[in-house]
Amino acid sequence: MDSPHLDRIIRIKSSAERGGEVKNVYVRRIEVGECRQSILGMELKYWKVTDGPYPPYFHNIHLEHITSNKSQYVMHLDGFDDKIRVRDIYVKNCVFNGVVHPDINMIVGVENIRFDHVSVNGQEYKRIYD
């Protein structure tokens, strides 16, 4: 994958009107040249829908052996402000270079993100989100 017009490499989206559970996703061995926004994007308010009978739930997402050369962020995780509906994201053995904003990832309504042997712009990335 390689395009300045590609927003996200891995994208999972839903809304409270659509609902659904996304679980046990394993993404491995992807080489990315360039993307516009982020490697992983999750949207739980797709089409700006914030209220509805079916709040989506995303969990147990694994990214391994992913490399990229250019992006704005590593992650863009846009969940709900008032509840946790995204949890247990594991990023392992990945190298993300050319990240414009390495410390400014949108992470809302998410718990338990773990990084293991992840490099961002040549530096080990050890942030933990509980």
Side-chain angles (χ1 to χ4, degrees), residues 3 59 101 115-116:
S3 173
H59 61 106
H101 302 288
F115 298 93
D116 182 19

Side-chain angles (χ1 to χ4, degrees), residues 29-84:
R29 294 178 178 84
I30 294 178
E31 293 181 19
V32 179
E34 175 180 358
C35 71
R36 185 185 343 228
Q37 189 185 70
S38 62
I39 305 306
L40 175 63
M42 292 185 180
E43 300 167 66
L44 282 77
K45 301 175 281 194
Y46 188 64
W47 286 98
K48 299 182 177 24
V49 175
T50 59
D51 193 29
Y54 312 108
Y57 179 44
F58 303 160
H59 61 106
N60 201 28
I61 312 297
H62 297 257
L63 308 180
E64 286 189 50
H65 298 285
I66 297 175
T67 62
S68 68
N69 294 322
K70 185 176 181 185
S71 65
Q72 288 290 310
Y73 310 100
V74 173
M75 294 184 180
H76 179 90
L77 309 176
D78 190 11
F80 298 106
D81 293 326
D82 60 341
K83 58 188 156 243
I84 302 295

Side-chain angles (χ1 to χ4, degrees), residues 3-22:
S3 173
H5 305 292
L6 177 63
D7 283 334
R8 288 160 294 274
I9 301 305
I10 298 111
R11 183 179 189 195
I12 303 171
K13 60 184 178 156
S14 188
S15 73
E17 286 181 344
R18 295 178 179 182
E21 178 181 25
V22 177

